[in-house]
């Protein structure tokens, strides 16, 4: 994995996801949609842009203009929100590609957040057994997490992301100026994943986040650029070593087993990043109670999450609710819970946990108004 500054492109940086013949670049910089012809010189004639009305209102015209008249551009707008990541929407996009006689040489372009990226990626993975795919992520979460690494999926009434494929894009173009229009809560949720990278992988990055929290809250362009670049480098590093989540990649799920339980029980009020933040605190507290993480480290994590306006206490759920939700996690093997647990700032491990009372003790300590 390398990071190069391209001298003629101002602030453009290039990060490589090293996956042999499926390697691809991630470009990070400002106003990158204005440079699409240079960044994507080999696009095929037929292009389908998958987006939604919110994102389209801000960015679609620009992207279309840049692609130029030499392409047949089909735009498919899906509904806004997680519910759009459905079999129905997937079928509608397929219908549209077939109705417009899109062939195997076409490409799918995802312009939007993680919802658009996940469903567009799954369309690309499966249309005519796979066509080229480009990610133009527009939320912070998509820019630091979902657009990189090739997980694509749609939801089923029986659960989230139950239908999907590993399918890497041809490239990812991260235009950081898109974040100016993002709602505050969505922005904070992206920061929860940024903090995650610091905790599991990079103590220096965590310290940098502590030192630059005000700049990040102000969406300072330079600070954001660095935070996104570093997050993508870490994700690229991890994915290059463990594309299919046999081990290392599971660390990206820090706080997520707890977080998914919160999200499932409080779907309408808790966002993913918020639930992950509260879940991260439970994982840290668990390790503190086991004497495997210092109280200072737990405190630093809490202070940083709070600085980014993220919740650090879980909502009240019953012990049964927690247990039922957590044992449905994809990491559960042979009925045993496996948790990502921080062993310090900058390091984490995936461990099998058999002692539920200890887990419950950490949950109880990190639940709202339990202090
Ligand atoms: N594939 C992966 O590896 C991976 C990783 C993490 C999350 N995900 C998935 O990502 C999804 C969540 O993604 P998300 O948090 O980006 O949510 P999202 O795609 O729903 O976007 C959040 C909101 O922001 C709006 N929006 C997008 N870009 C905007 C912009 N530039 N300005 C203003 N508004 C904008 C969207 O319309 C939406 O209302 C979930 O479905 C989750 O499962 C996937
Ligand atoms: Zn997440």
């Amino acid at each position: 994995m390398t990071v190069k500054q391209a001298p003629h492109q101002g602030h453009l940086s290039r990060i490589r996801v090293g996956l042999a013949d499926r390697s691809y670049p991630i470009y990070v910089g400002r106003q990158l949609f204005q440079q699409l012809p240079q960044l994507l010189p080999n696009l095929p004639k037929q292009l389908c842009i998958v987006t939604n009305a919110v994102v389209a209102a801000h960015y679609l015209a620009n992207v279309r203009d840049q692609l130029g008249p030499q392409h047949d551009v089909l735009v498919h707008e899906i509904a806004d929100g997680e519910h759009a990541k459905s079999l129905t929407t997937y079928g509608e996009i397929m219908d549209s590609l077939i109705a417009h006689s899109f062939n195997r040489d076409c490409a799918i372009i995802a312009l939007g957040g993680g919802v658009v990226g996940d469903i567009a990626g799954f369309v690309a993975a499966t249309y005519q057994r796979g066509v080229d795919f480009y990610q133009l992520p527009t939320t912070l979460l998509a820019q630091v997490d979902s657009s990189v690494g090739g997980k694509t999926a749609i939801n089923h009434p029986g659960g989230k992301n139950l239908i999907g494929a590993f399918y890497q894009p041809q490239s990812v173009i991260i235009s950081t100026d898109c974040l100016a229009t993002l709602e505050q809560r969505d922005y904070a949720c992206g920061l929860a994943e940024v903090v995650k990278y610091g905790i599991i992988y990079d103590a220096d990055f965590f310290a940098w986040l502590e030192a630059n929290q005000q700049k990040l809250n102000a969406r300072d362009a330079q600070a954001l650029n660095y935070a996104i670049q570093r997050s993508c480098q870490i994700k690229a590093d991890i994915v290059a070593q463990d594309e299919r989540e046999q081990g290392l990649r599971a660390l990206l799920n820090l706080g997520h087993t707890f977080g998914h339980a919160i999200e499932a029980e409080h779907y309408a009020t808790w966002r993913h990043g918020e639930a992950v933040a509260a879940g991260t605190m439970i994982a840290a507290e668990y390790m503190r109670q086991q004497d495997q993480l210092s109280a200072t480290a737990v405190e630093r994590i809490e202070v940083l999450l709070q600085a980014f306006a993220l919740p650090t206490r879980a909502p009240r759920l019953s012990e049964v609710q927690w247990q039922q939700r957590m044992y449905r996690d994809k990491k559960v093997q042979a009925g045993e819970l496996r948790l990502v647990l921080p062993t310090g700032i900058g390091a984490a491990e995936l461990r099998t946990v058999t002692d539920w009372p200890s887990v419950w003790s950490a949950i109880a300590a990190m639940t709202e108004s339990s202090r």
Side-chain angles (χ1 to χ4, degrees):
M1 186 218 58
T2 52
V3 183
K4 281 189 280 194
Q5 291 286 339
H8 307 299
Q9 302 270 17
H11 291 302
L12 179 72
S13 330
R14 187 179 186 276
I15 297 158
R16 183 170 172 273
V17 184
L19 288 166
D21 60 341
R22 290 172 299 114
S23 297
Y24 57 95
I26 305 166
Y27 299 101
V28 184
R30 290 178 64 73
Q31 310 291 342
L32 294 195
F33 296 166
Q34 268 86 302
Q35 301 176 39
L36 287 182
Q38 294 80 33
L39 296 174
L40 305 176
N42 299 317
L43 285 178
K45 187 166 175 54
Q46 293 180 316
L47 301 174
C48 174
I49 302 175
V50 180
T51 187
N52 71 29
V54 176
V55 178
H58 292 296
Y59 306 107
L60 180 62
N62 189 6
V63 168
R64 264 193 100 135
D65 286 352
Q66 291 295 323
L67 292 173
Q70 68 275 27
H71 297 287
D72 295 337
V73 179
L74 171 67
V75 176
H76 194 104
E77 281 187 24
I78 65 171
D80 189 21
E82 182 71 29
H83 70 279
K85 236 174 82 173
S86 66
L87 273 165
T88 308
T89 311
Y90 170 79
E92 287 165 1
I93 304 173
M94 287 293 175
D95 290 347
S96 173
L97 291 170
I98 293 164
H100 289 84
S101 307
F102 267 48
N103 59 44
R104 287 170 62 183
D105 298 324
C106 74
I108 310 291
I109 299 178
L111 174 68
V115 166
V116 163
D118 276 15
I119 192 167
F122 187 57
V123 166
T126 50
Y127 185 63
Q128 305 218 9
R129 300 195 186 88
V131 298
D132 283 359
F133 177 44
Y134 296 88
Q135 285 270 20
L136 276 53
T138 61
T139 63
L140 183 56
L141 178 130
Q143 296 190 343
V144 299
D145 196 350
S146 63
S147 68
V148 174
K151 281 192 183 177
T152 73
I154 55 176
N155 302 327
H156 183 274
K160 250 185 81 123
N161 298 330
L162 285 184
I163 303 163
F166 284 97
Y167 196 70
Q168 301 293 342
Q170 258 58 43
S171 62
V172 181
I173 296 178
I174 299 179
S175 196
T176 55
D177 46 295
C178 286
L179 302 180
T181 53
L182 199 61
E183 277 184 22
Q184 168 53 31
R185 257 182 103 181
D186 288 314
Y187 182 72
C189 283
L191 287 173
E193 308 284 2
V194 173
V195 171
K196 171 186 84 179
Y197 291 117
I199 300 172
I200 63 170
Y201 206 75
D202 187 344
D204 290 343
F205 184 45
F206 190 93
W208 182 90
L209 291 169
E210 291 178 315
N212 289 276
Q213 43 180 267
Q214 282 171 339
K215 284 186 180 172
L216 287 169
N217 278 329
R219 306 192 196 186
D220 172 84
Q222 257 186 323
L224 254 179
N225 203 282
Y226 180 73
I228 293 169
Q229 253 187 62
R230 187 66 197 126
S231 298
C232 286
Q233 278 169 18
I234 294 171
K235 182 143 186 193
D237 247 8
I238 291 175
V239 168
Q241 293 172 64
D242 179 25
E243 185 183 11
R244 289 184 172 251
E245 201 166 323
Q246 311 292 307
L248 183 65
R249 189 168 180 169
L251 298 187
L252 296 171
N253 289 305
L254 174 71
H256 282 61
T257 304
F258 299 106
H260 288 151
I262 298 170
E263 273 183 286
E265 294 290 337
H266 289 275
Y267 177 74
T269 45
W270 281 71
R271 305 245 174 120
H272 176 73
E274 296 165 347
V276 166
T280 297
M281 288 307 303
I282 300 172
E285 171 65 12
Y286 174 88
M287 290 300 269
R288 190 195 64 77
Q289 291 188 8
Q290 305 286 312
D291 286 327
Q292 294 180 58
L293 186 68
S294 70
T296 316
V298 180
E299 171 91 18
R300 283 178 70 192
I301 295 169
E302 173 155 31
V303 168
L304 187 57
L305 292 171
Q306 282 172 345
F308 293 144
L310 288 159
T312 53
R313 291 294 177 276
R316 265 184 193 284
L317 306 180
S318 72
E319 189 170 354
V320 174
Q321 282 174 313
W322 276 109
Q323 249 175 333
Q324 282 180 346
R325 292 291 181 183
M326 287 179 64
Y327 279 88
R328 254 182 249 164
D329 187 74
K330 65 180 176 193
K331 291 185 295 305
V332 167
Q333 268 181 4
E336 285 182 334
L337 210 51
R338 294 195 308 155
L339 295 174
V340 181
L341 296 165
T343 53
I345 300 281
E349 288 173 9
L350 180 66
R351 290 198 192 161
T352 300
V353 173
T354 48
D355 177 23
W356 173 260
S358 304
V359 176
W360 176 237
S361 162
I363 293 172
M366 291 291 126
T367 291
E368 275 168 357
S369 60
S370 63
R371 284 178 148 185

